């Protein structure tokens, strides 16, 4: 009888570890995404300008930021904020929610646990989904807006995110919004596979935190785990990010495209600008992505943790 009670209790604890619904993951991620976008948009603008700079106009991150502020005004550092914030909100909602669904599919039906291989595949699947459904079209619009110099509406081809999307569709067709989809899929899939696996590992190793155990990490603890988890991706996926930016920035207006696709772009950039050019903008990416993950996870972990305490561990068994 004692054994049965113990088994029941163990099973209840196991069940509580998988009881966080995907929609709560989606909500927590979307709120974290809004905070990240507002804090880090200037770094994203600088990264885009550096990646598009073929003539050496900008000497580095600080010089780029000062040049943009001096010649175009401080507000220019927040160019593309609306599509960036919207795309981050939707992206994190889809990323966190779909990753939770994939993890549920990969969990062992008896133990309720998921292997590292399952975490990697879940993260990769979530990255591919977000890349195709949300990231690519939003980043095409964002990059087209960010590459425009100046603030006077009369001198700008694209007047805003909606106008930009309409112009792209009219001039290049609906598929113009999916320019650079292949490197975006590779970048996001690899990034999320590494990030979700690393975040879980750092939570366990550093703070003894297991998902669904009712323990709520302090914001600074979530920030450390998120920052460390967000560091590896940019280094590994630098070439995909540069190629993605170049493909998204080029307009099909006039018919001639410099880059014909992902592989052609990699070869062309390497031949014309050297190997290091494939990692252009790496430093601002490292300044944006790890802090961005730190901000997002600090918010998301608090929301998920409060849900665990209120609706799982305080619920009657």
């Amino acid at each position: 009888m004692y054994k049965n009670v113990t088994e029941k209790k163990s099973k209840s604890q196991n069940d509580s570890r998988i009881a966080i619904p995907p929609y709560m993951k989606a909500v927590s991620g979307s709120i974290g995404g809004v905070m990240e976008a507002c804090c880090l948009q200037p770094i994203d603008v600088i990264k885009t300008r550096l990646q598009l700079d073929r003539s050496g106009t900008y000497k580095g991150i600080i010089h780029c930021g000062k040049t943009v502020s001096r010649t175009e005004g401080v507000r220019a550092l927040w160019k593309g904020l609306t599509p960036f914030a919207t795309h981050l909100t939707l992206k994190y909602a889809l990323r966190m929610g779909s990753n939770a669904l994939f993890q549920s599919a990969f969990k062992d039906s008896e133990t309720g646990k998921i292997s590292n291989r399952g975490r990697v595949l879940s993260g990769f699947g979530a990255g591919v989904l977000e890349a195709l459904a949300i990231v690519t079209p939003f980043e095409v619009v964002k990059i087209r807006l960010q590459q425009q110099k100046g603030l006077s509406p009369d001198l700008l081809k694209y007047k805003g995110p909606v106008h930009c999307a309409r112009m792209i569709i009219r001039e290049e067709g609906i598929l113009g919004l999916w320019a650079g989809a292949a490197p975006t899929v590779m970048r996001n899939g690899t990034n999320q596979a590494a990030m979700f696996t690393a975040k879980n590992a750092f939570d366990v190793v550093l703070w003894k935190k297991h998902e669904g155990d009712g323990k709520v990490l302090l914001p600074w603890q979530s920030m450390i785990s998120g920052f460390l988890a967000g560091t590896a991706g940019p280094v590994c996926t630098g070439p995909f990010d540069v190629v993605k930016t170049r493909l998204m920035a080029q307009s099909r207006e006039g018919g001639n495209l410099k880059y014909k696709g992902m592989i052609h772009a990699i070869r062309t950039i390497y031949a014309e600008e050297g190997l290091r050019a494939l990692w252009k903008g790496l430093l601002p990416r490292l300044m944006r992505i790890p802090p961005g993950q730190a901000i997002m996870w600090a918010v998301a972990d608090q929301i998920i943790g409060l849900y665990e305490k209120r609706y799982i561990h305080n619920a009657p068994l």
Side-chain angles (χ1 to χ4, degrees):
M1 183 176 178
Y2 177 77
K3 186 178 177 183
N4 288 339
V5 171
T6 305
E7 285 177 354
K8 265 187 186 177
K9 187 176 179 184
S10 175
K11 189 175 180 184
S12 295
Q13 289 173 343
N14 245 354
D15 289 345
S16 68
R17 287 200 176 186
I18 61 173
I20 303 172
Y23 78 84
M24 273 309 302
K25 297 287 189 72
V27 169
S28 67
S30 64
I31 296 173
V34 172
M35 293 296 296
E36 177 186 341
C38 294
C39 294
L40 301 178
Q41 174 69 359
I43 297 175
D44 192 69
V45 171
I46 291 171
K47 181 212 76 166
T48 299
R49 291 292 182 89
L50 287 172
Q51 289 181 338
L52 294 173
D53 180 25
R54 300 176 191 168
S55 59
T57 302
Y58 306 119
K59 311 305 179 186
I61 295 172
I62 296 176
H63 179 259
C64 180
K66 286 181 176 178
T67 302
V68 172
S69 298
R70 185 178 64 254
T71 59
E72 305 173 47
V74 176
R75 283 193 301 134
L77 291 172
W78 272 268
K79 275 187 174 181
L81 177 61
T82 301
F84 186 51
T86 304
H87 122 258
L88 273 188
T89 302
L90 296 175
K91 178 179 75 173
Y92 281 129
L94 179 60
R95 176 190 297 177
M96 301 284 280
S98 62
N99 182 70
L101 288 173
F102 282 129
Q103 285 195 357
S104 296
F106 283 115
K107 279 179 180 177
D108 186 286
S109 57
E110 294 182 2
T111 64
K113 295 181 179 179
I114 182 171
S115 65
N116 285 333
R117 179 173 175 271
R119 289 188 187 279
V120 170
L121 291 175
S122 297
F124 189 85
V128 170
L129 275 180
E130 72 178 22
L132 291 175
I134 295 170
V135 176
T136 302
F138 274 95
E139 288 211 358
V140 168
V141 172
K142 174 178 70 76
I143 286 170
R144 295 287 180 91
L145 291 172
Q146 287 178 348
Q147 72 176 342
Q148 297 184 127
K149 296 182 179 179
L151 287 173
S152 174
D154 297 334
L155 301 177
L156 300 178
K157 177 179 179 179
Y158 305 118
K159 313 304 181 185
V162 176
H163 179 259
C164 179
R166 287 176 177 170
M167 287 285 288
I168 292 171
I169 293 171
R170 182 162 62 245
E171 294 176 353
E172 306 168 37
I174 188 69
L175 292 180
L177 290 173
W178 273 267
T184 306
V185 164
M186 293 302 299
R187 183 199 66 171
N188 282 55
T190 306
N191 263 340
Q192 300 342 313
M195 188 271 292
F196 279 110
T197 305
K199 174 62 167 60
N200 178 77
F202 284 124
D203 281 350
V204 173
V205 171
L206 296 177
W207 323 119
K208 310 300 180 189
K209 161 67 180 172
H210 297 269
E211 182 178 318
D213 62 3
K215 180 179 180 181
V216 182
L217 295 179
L218 296 173
W220 66 268
Q221 292 175 316
S222 296
M223 292 184 80
I224 290 175
S225 292
F227 185 93
L228 293 174
T231 301
V235 177
C236 298
T237 62
F240 292 127
D241 194 61
V242 171
V243 169
K244 170 199 72 72
T245 301
R246 296 284 181 92
L247 289 173
M248 288 178 173
Q250 67 179 358
S251 172
R252 287 172 172 76
E253 188 179 12
N256 294 322
L257 296 178
K258 180 178 178 65
Y259 306 114
K260 311 302 182 185
M262 181 173 70
I263 303 300
H264 180 259
I266 292 174
R267 288 176 177 171
T268 304
I269 294 169
Y270 173 73
E272 294 181 352
E273 304 172 52
L275 183 63
R276 290 179 62 186
L278 290 169
W279 274 269
K280 272 188 174 182
L282 176 61
L283 190 53
R285 281 193 81 205
L286 289 173
M287 290 176 64
R288 182 181 68 80
I289 294 177
Q293 290 301 299
I295 294 168
M296 192 281 292
W297 282 110
V299 175
D301 278 351
Q302 290 300 303
I303 295 171
I304 293 171
L306 290 173
Y307 180 88
E308 287 183 21
K309 288 181 71 175
R310 181 168 182 178
Y311 293 104
I312 296 177
H313 291 274
N314 288 342
L317 293 177

mmCIF file of all heavy atoms in Angstrom, residues 171-200:
data_model
loop_
_atom_site.group_PDB
_atom_site.id
_atom_site.type_symbol
_atom_site.label_atom_id
_atom_site.label_comp_id
_atom_site.label_asym_id
_atom_site.label_seq_id
_atom_site.Cartn_x
_atom_site.Cartn_y
_atom_site.Cartn_z
ATOM 1 N N GLU A 171 6.096 45.364 -56.677
ATOM 2 C CA GLU A 171 7.259 45.389 -57.562
ATOM 3 C C GLU A 171 7.908 44.017 -57.760
ATOM 4 O O GLU A 171 8.470 43.735 -58.818
ATOM 5 C CB GLU A 171 8.316 46.353 -57.015
ATOM 6 C CG GLU A 171 7.890 47.797 -57.014
ATOM 7 C CD GLU A 171 8.921 48.711 -56.385
ATOM 8 O OE1 GLU A 171 9.924 48.194 -55.827
ATOM 9 O OE2 GLU A 171 8.728 49.943 -56.437
ATOM 10 N N GLU A 172 7.821 43.161 -56.723
ATOM 11 C CA GLU A 172 8.585 41.913 -56.757
ATOM 12 C C GLU A 172 7.717 40.667 -56.606
ATOM 13 O O GLU A 172 8.227 39.552 -56.690
ATOM 14 C CB GLU A 172 9.651 41.930 -55.647
ATOM 15 C CG GLU A 172 10.552 43.152 -55.700
ATOM 16 C CD GLU A 172 11.401 43.297 -54.454
ATOM 17 O OE1 GLU A 172 11.839 42.255 -53.918
ATOM 18 O OE2 GLU A 172 11.619 44.439 -54.006
ATOM 19 N N GLY A 173 6.431 40.874 -56.352
ATOM 20 C CA GLY A 173 5.563 39.730 -56.126
ATOM 21 C C GLY A 173 5.553 39.345 -54.657
ATOM 22 O O GLY A 173 6.401 39.771 -53.871
ATOM 23 N N ILE A 174 4.590 38.505 -54.264
ATOM 24 C CA ILE A 174 4.448 38.101 -52.870
ATOM 25 C C ILE A 174 5.689 37.396 -52.343
ATOM 26 O O ILE A 174 6.054 37.509 -51.171
ATOM 27 C CB ILE A 174 3.191 37.198 -52.702
ATOM 28 C CG1 ILE A 174 2.912 36.935 -51.219
ATOM 29 C CG2 ILE A 174 3.360 35.893 -53.463
ATOM 30 C CD1 ILE A 174 2.451 38.148 -50.452
ATOM 31 N N LEU A 175 6.392 36.673 -53.243
ATOM 32 C CA LEU A 175 7.589 35.957 -52.804
ATOM 33 C C LEU A 175 8.731 36.898 -52.451
ATOM 34 O O LEU A 175 9.710 36.483 -51.824
ATOM 35 C CB LEU A 175 8.042 34.969 -53.888
ATOM 36 C CG LEU A 175 7.114 33.777 -54.135
ATOM 37 C CD1 LEU A 175 7.673 32.879 -55.219
ATOM 38 C CD2 LEU A 175 6.902 32.978 -52.842
ATOM 39 N N GLY A 176 8.617 38.169 -52.847
ATOM 40 C CA GLY A 176 9.635 39.142 -52.469
ATOM 41 C C GLY A 176 9.742 39.300 -50.967
ATOM 42 O O GLY A 176 10.806 39.654 -50.442
ATOM 43 N N LEU A 177 8.646 39.038 -50.256
ATOM 44 C CA LEU A 177 8.664 39.108 -48.793
ATOM 45 C C LEU A 177 9.383 37.919 -48.170
ATOM 46 O O LEU A 177 9.634 37.911 -46.960
ATOM 47 C CB LEU A 177 7.232 39.190 -48.253
ATOM 48 C CG LEU A 177 6.477 40.491 -48.519
ATOM 49 C CD1 LEU A 177 5.021 40.361 -48.089
ATOM 50 C CD2 LEU A 177 7.140 41.657 -47.781
ATOM 51 N N TRP A 178 9.676 36.923 -48.996
ATOM 52 C CA TRP A 178 10.405 35.748 -48.485
ATOM 53 C C TRP A 178 11.808 35.652 -49.086
ATOM 54 O O TRP A 178 12.386 34.589 -49.142
ATOM 55 C CB TRP A 178 9.605 34.470 -48.745
ATOM 56 C CG TRP A 178 8.635 34.181 -47.650
ATOM 57 C CD1 TRP A 178 8.836 33.390 -46.556
ATOM 58 C CD2 TRP A 178 7.317 34.718 -47.507
ATOM 59 N NE1 TRP A 178 7.726 33.402 -45.745
ATOM 60 C CE2 TRP A 178 6.767 34.205 -46.300
ATOM 61 C CE3 TRP A 178 6.532 35.589 -48.271
ATOM 62 C CZ2 TRP A 178 5.493 34.527 -45.854
ATOM 63 C CZ3 TRP A 178 5.259 35.924 -47.820
ATOM 64 C CH2 TRP A 178 4.753 35.394 -46.634
ATOM 65 N N ALA A 179 12.350 36.795 -49.497
ATOM 66 C CA ALA A 179 13.739 36.821 -49.957
ATOM 67 C C ALA A 179 14.640 36.416 -48.799
ATOM 68 O O ALA A 179 14.460 36.857 -47.667
ATOM 69 C CB ALA A 179 14.101 38.222 -50.447
ATOM 70 N N GLY A 180 15.611 35.559 -49.078
ATOM 71 C CA GLY A 180 16.525 35.129 -48.026
ATOM 72 C C GLY A 180 15.944 34.101 -47.083
ATOM 73 O O GLY A 180 16.441 33.917 -45.961
ATOM 74 N N ALA A 181 14.907 33.384 -47.523
ATOM 75 C CA ALA A 181 14.259 32.408 -46.637
ATOM 76 C C ALA A 181 15.196 31.254 -46.269
ATOM 77 O O ALA A 181 15.206 30.805 -45.122
ATOM 78 C CB ALA A 181 12.991 31.863 -47.295
ATOM 79 N N ALA A 182 15.987 30.772 -47.231
ATOM 80 C CA ALA A 182 16.857 29.614 -46.973
ATOM 81 C C ALA A 182 17.876 29.885 -45.869
ATOM 82 O O ALA A 182 17.970 29.111 -44.899
ATOM 83 C CB ALA A 182 17.546 29.173 -48.266
ATOM 84 N N PRO A 183 18.679 30.968 -45.954
ATOM 85 C CA PRO A 183 19.616 31.217 -44.858
ATOM 86 C C PRO A 183 18.924 31.565 -43.546
ATOM 87 O O PRO A 183 19.457 31.295 -42.460
ATOM 88 C CB PRO A 183 20.455 32.408 -45.359
ATOM 89 C CG PRO A 183 19.653 33.032 -46.440
ATOM 90 C CD PRO A 183 18.873 31.924 -47.063
ATOM 91 N N THR A 184 17.724 32.133 -43.625
ATOM 92 C CA THR A 184 16.977 32.444 -42.397
ATOM 93 C C THR A 184 16.555 31.158 -41.697
ATOM 94 O O THR A 184 16.646 31.039 -40.470
ATOM 95 C CB THR A 184 15.730 33.297 -42.709
ATOM 96 O OG1 THR A 184 16.120 34.450 -43.452
ATOM 97 C CG2 THR A 184 15.051 33.751 -41.432
ATOM 98 N N VAL A 185 16.101 30.178 -42.480
ATOM 99 C CA VAL A 185 15.729 28.874 -41.914
ATOM 100 C C VAL A 185 16.932 28.215 -41.254
ATOM 101 O O VAL A 185 16.846 27.704 -40.124
ATOM 102 C CB VAL A 185 15.147 27.950 -43.018
ATOM 103 C CG1 VAL A 185 15.126 26.503 -42.560
ATOM 104 C CG2 VAL A 185 13.737 28.403 -43.392
ATOM 105 N N MET A 186 18.079 28.229 -41.952
ATOM 106 C CA MET A 186 19.286 27.620 -41.390
ATOM 107 C C MET A 186 19.740 28.349 -40.128
ATOM 108 O O MET A 186 20.131 27.731 -39.140
ATOM 109 C CB MET A 186 20.401 27.629 -42.436
ATOM 110 C CG MET A 186 20.145 26.734 -43.628
ATOM 111 S SD MET A 186 19.897 24.998 -43.146
ATOM 112 C CE MET A 186 21.466 24.618 -42.384
ATOM 113 N N ARG A 187 19.691 29.671 -40.177
ATOM 114 C CA ARG A 187 20.118 30.459 -39.017
ATOM 115 C C ARG A 187 19.212 30.216 -37.821
ATOM 116 O O ARG A 187 19.682 29.904 -36.718
ATOM 117 C CB ARG A 187 20.120 31.951 -39.369
ATOM 118 C CG ARG A 187 20.618 32.845 -38.236
ATOM 119 C CD ARG A 187 20.193 34.294 -38.430
ATOM 120 N NE ARG A 187 18.751 34.460 -38.327
ATOM 121 C CZ ARG A 187 18.149 35.643 -38.291
ATOM 122 N NH1 ARG A 187 18.855 36.740 -38.382
ATOM 123 N NH2 ARG A 187 16.829 35.724 -38.196
ATOM 124 N N ASN A 188 17.908 30.367 -38.014
ATOM 125 C CA ASN A 188 16.981 30.246 -36.892
ATOM 126 C C ASN A 188 16.876 28.827 -36.368
ATOM 127 O O ASN A 188 16.793 28.614 -35.157
ATOM 128 C CB ASN A 188 15.599 30.765 -37.302
ATOM 129 C CG ASN A 188 15.533 32.270 -37.306
ATOM 130 O OD1 ASN A 188 16.334 32.921 -37.966
ATOM 131 N ND2 ASN A 188 14.598 32.845 -36.582
ATOM 132 N N GLY A 189 16.857 27.846 -37.277
ATOM 133 C CA GLY A 189 16.795 26.461 -36.829
ATOM 134 C C GLY A 189 17.981 26.096 -35.949
ATOM 135 O O GLY A 189 17.824 25.524 -34.863
ATOM 136 N N THR A 190 19.192 26.452 -36.409
ATOM 137 C CA THR A 190 20.403 26.153 -35.641
ATOM 138 C C THR A 190 20.434 26.928 -34.339
ATOM 139 O O THR A 190 20.794 26.394 -33.282
ATOM 140 C CB THR A 190 21.654 26.491 -36.479
ATOM 141 O OG1 THR A 190 21.574 25.804 -37.727
ATOM 142 C CG2 THR A 190 22.925 26.070 -35.762
ATOM 143 N N ASN A 191 20.065 28.205 -34.412
ATOM 144 C CA ASN A 191 20.064 29.046 -33.210
ATOM 145 C C ASN A 191 19.160 28.483 -32.126
ATOM 146 O O ASN A 191 19.555 28.374 -30.964
ATOM 147 C CB ASN A 191 19.585 30.463 -33.560
ATOM 148 C CG ASN A 191 20.739 31.422 -33.803
ATOM 149 O OD1 ASN A 191 21.856 31.183 -33.371
ATOM 150 N ND2 ASN A 191 20.467 32.490 -34.513
ATOM 151 N N GLN A 192 17.929 28.132 -32.505
ATOM 152 C CA GLN A 192 16.963 27.682 -31.493
ATOM 153 C C GLN A 192 17.298 26.288 -30.969
ATOM 154 O O GLN A 192 17.035 25.991 -29.803
ATOM 155 C CB GLN A 192 15.538 27.722 -32.053
ATOM 156 C CG GLN A 192 15.011 29.066 -32.518
ATOM 157 C CD GLN A 192 15.749 30.263 -32.007
ATOM 158 O OE1 GLN A 192 16.048 30.390 -30.820
ATOM 159 N NE2 GLN A 192 16.093 31.160 -32.917
ATOM 160 N N ALA A 193 17.857 25.443 -31.833
ATOM 161 C CA ALA A 193 18.289 24.125 -31.364
ATOM 162 C C ALA A 193 19.328 24.279 -30.258
ATOM 163 O O ALA A 193 19.267 23.614 -29.217
ATOM 164 C CB ALA A 193 18.865 23.314 -32.529
ATOM 165 N N ALA A 194 20.283 25.191 -30.475
ATOM 166 C CA ALA A 194 21.337 25.418 -29.481
ATOM 167 C C ALA A 194 20.788 26.146 -28.259
ATOM 168 O O ALA A 194 21.111 25.804 -27.115
ATOM 169 C CB ALA A 194 22.473 26.224 -30.111
ATOM 170 N N MET A 195 19.930 27.143 -28.489
ATOM 171 C CA MET A 195 19.480 27.987 -27.392
ATOM 172 C C MET A 195 18.607 27.256 -26.380
ATOM 173 O O MET A 195 18.847 27.322 -25.171
ATOM 174 C CB MET A 195 18.731 29.200 -27.956
ATOM 175 C CG MET A 195 18.382 30.262 -26.912
ATOM 176 S SD MET A 195 16.787 29.976 -26.113
ATOM 177 C CE MET A 195 15.676 30.286 -27.478
ATOM 178 N N PHE A 196 17.602 26.510 -26.857
ATOM 179 C CA PHE A 196 16.719 25.815 -25.918
ATOM 180 C C PHE A 196 17.477 24.735 -25.143
ATOM 181 O O PHE A 196 17.265 24.560 -23.944
ATOM 182 C CB PHE A 196 15.538 25.190 -26.660
ATOM 183 C CG PHE A 196 14.428 26.154 -26.962
ATOM 184 C CD1 PHE A 196 14.160 26.563 -28.256
ATOM 185 C CD2 PHE A 196 13.647 26.671 -25.935
ATOM 186 C CE1 PHE A 196 13.141 27.460 -28.536
ATOM 187 C CE2 PHE A 196 12.613 27.567 -26.204
ATOM 188 C CZ PHE A 196 12.362 27.968 -27.515
ATOM 189 N N THR A 197 18.366 24.024 -25.834
ATOM 190 C CA THR A 197 19.145 22.980 -25.167
ATOM 191 C C THR A 197 20.076 23.585 -24.128
ATOM 192 O O THR A 197 20.173 23.099 -22.993
ATOM 193 C CB THR A 197 19.968 22.183 -26.201
ATOM 194 O OG1 THR A 197 19.087 21.663 -27.204
ATOM 195 C CG2 THR A 197 20.699 21.034 -25.541
ATOM 196 N N ALA A 198 20.757 24.677 -24.510
ATOM 197 C CA ALA A 198 21.702 25.310 -23.589
ATOM 198 C C ALA A 198 20.996 25.961 -22.405
ATOM 199 O O ALA A 198 21.469 25.867 -21.267
ATOM 200 C CB ALA A 198 22.528 26.350 -24.343
ATOM 201 N N LYS A 199 19.834 26.608 -22.660
ATOM 202 C CA LYS A 199 19.110 27.269 -21.560
ATOM 203 C C LYS A 199 18.700 26.262 -20.493
ATOM 204 O O LYS A 199 18.867 26.487 -19.288
ATOM 205 C CB LYS A 199 17.871 27.979 -22.119
ATOM 206 C CG LYS A 199 16.922 28.594 -21.067
ATOM 207 C CD LYS A 199 17.595 29.670 -20.256
ATOM 208 C CE LYS A 199 16.605 30.495 -19.436
ATOM 209 N NZ LYS A 199 15.825 29.742 -18.464
ATOM 210 N N ASN A 200 18.175 25.126 -20.929
ATOM 211 C CA ASN A 200 17.784 24.092 -19.972
ATOM 212 C C ASN A 200 19.000 23.581 -19.207
ATOM 213 O O ASN A 200 18.946 23.392 -17.985
ATOM 214 C CB ASN A 200 17.107 22.932 -20.703
ATOM 215 C CG ASN A 200 16.728 21.801 -19.766
ATOM 216 O OD1 ASN A 200 15.757 21.881 -19.036
ATOM 217 N ND2 ASN A 200 17.510 20.723 -19.790
#
